[in-house]
Structure formats: C-alpha cells, structure tokens
C-alpha cells in the first residue's frame, strides 16, 4: 500500500471541515421546516431563504473542488513531489476552503475573500497537473 502521509492529513482535515458545512445545511433546513410547521418544507432547494442558499453553496463549492484537489495532491505525492511543496499546496487548499466557506456563509457580498480562496484552489489543482505533465 502506498504511503501518502501529506495527502492523508489533508484528506482528514477536509473531512473534518465538511462536517460543520453539512450540519449547517441540515440544521438550517430543519429550522425552516419547524418554523413552517412542516419538517420537509426545505428538503429540496433553499425555500427562498438566503442563509440556506449561502450554506448550500458553501457546502457545494467545498464538495465540488475537494475530491479533485485530493486526487491531484495524492498523485503528485506518488510521483515524488517534494514534501514541502505538498504541505504548502495542501495547507493552502485547506486554508482557502475554510476562507471560502466562511465568506460564502457569512459575507457572500464581499468578493475579495472568495477570490483569495479560489486562487488557492486553482493553485492546488493547476500546480500538480502542470508539474506532472512537464517533469
């Protein structure tokens, strides 16, 4: 079995980050349902609730990018990438995903934090891809 210590730690951190994002969506759906008197009132969609919409997008964006970033990090690690580079890429991705989730959830109309976060995402996807193709 291959040894992927950096990817393993980054995957564990991302899994721990996914939990509160998921729980936030579920709790908001339940809250809307309880207020409406029909627990399934917000099972699908966002029930015209901006807070739920933002929570869904924060979770969705996290889940859209995290798997491919982990695959790229793992392949890069298997291909002998320098550990320091892997830690920087993985750490930047985790920090960026945390920043993006907070920005999407609490300050969705401020583009700068999301922009910074997306830069780290693009770096985590692009750097390993380019490095593996060229070297």
């Amino acid at each position: 079995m291959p040894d992927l210590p950096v990817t393993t730690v980054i995957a564990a951190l991302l899994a721990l980050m996914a939990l509160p994002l998921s729980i936030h969506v579920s709790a908001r759906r339940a809250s809307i349902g309880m207020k409406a008197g029909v627990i399934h009132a917000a099972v699908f969609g966002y029930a015209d609730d901006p807070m739920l919409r933002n929570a869904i997008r924060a979770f969705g964006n996290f889940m859209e990018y995290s798997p491919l970033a982990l695959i790229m990090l793992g392949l890069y690690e298997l291909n002998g990438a320098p550990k320091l580079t892997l830690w920087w890429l993985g750490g930047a991705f985790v920090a960026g995903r945390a920043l993006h989730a907070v920005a999407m959830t609490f300050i969705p109309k401020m583009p700068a934090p999301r922009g910074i976060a997306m830069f780290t995402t693009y770096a985590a996807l692009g750097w390993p891809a380019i490095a593996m193709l060229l070297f």
Side-chain angles (χ1 to χ4, degrees), residues 71-88:
I71 290 167
M72 294 307 296
L73 193 67
L75 290 172
Y76 198 32
E77 190 166 10
L78 284 173
N79 278 277
K83 293 286 189 227
L84 185 58
T85 301
L86 292 165
W87 283 116
W88 273 104

Side-chain angles (χ1 to χ4, degrees), residues 3-132:
D3 185 27
L4 300 169
V6 177
T7 303
T8 299
V9 170
I10 300 303
L13 291 173
L14 291 172
L16 291 173
M17 288 174 63
L19 290 172
L21 291 170
S22 179
I23 290 167
H24 185 227
V25 171
S26 298
R28 188 67 189 164
R29 287 188 192 282
S31 174
I32 291 168
M34 286 189 293
K35 284 180 186 172
V38 182
I39 195 67
H40 62 277
V43 167
F44 299 105
Y46 65 94
D48 292 325
D49 182 79
M51 187 182 294
L52 178 57
R53 182 198 61 224
N54 295 349
I56 290 169
R57 283 312 312 140
F59 175 73
N61 192 278
F62 180 88
M63 296 308 290
E64 290 162 5
Y65 284 104
S66 294
L68 185 56
L70 280 174
I71 290 167
M72 294 307 296
L73 193 67
L75 290 172
Y76 198 32
E77 190 166 10
L78 284 173
N79 278 277
K83 293 286 189 227
L84 185 58
T85 301
L86 292 165
W87 283 116
W88 273 104
L89 285 172
F93 184 76
V94 168
R97 291 294 82 206
L99 177 60
H100 192 272
V102 168
M104 283 294 296
T105 303
F106 301 108
I107 50 172
K109 294 184 180 181
M110 288 185 65
R114 290 191 330 272
I116 293 166
M118 289 311 299
F119 177 79
T120 65
T121 297
Y122 300 149
L125 294 174
W127 183 310
I130 292 167
M132 288 186 291

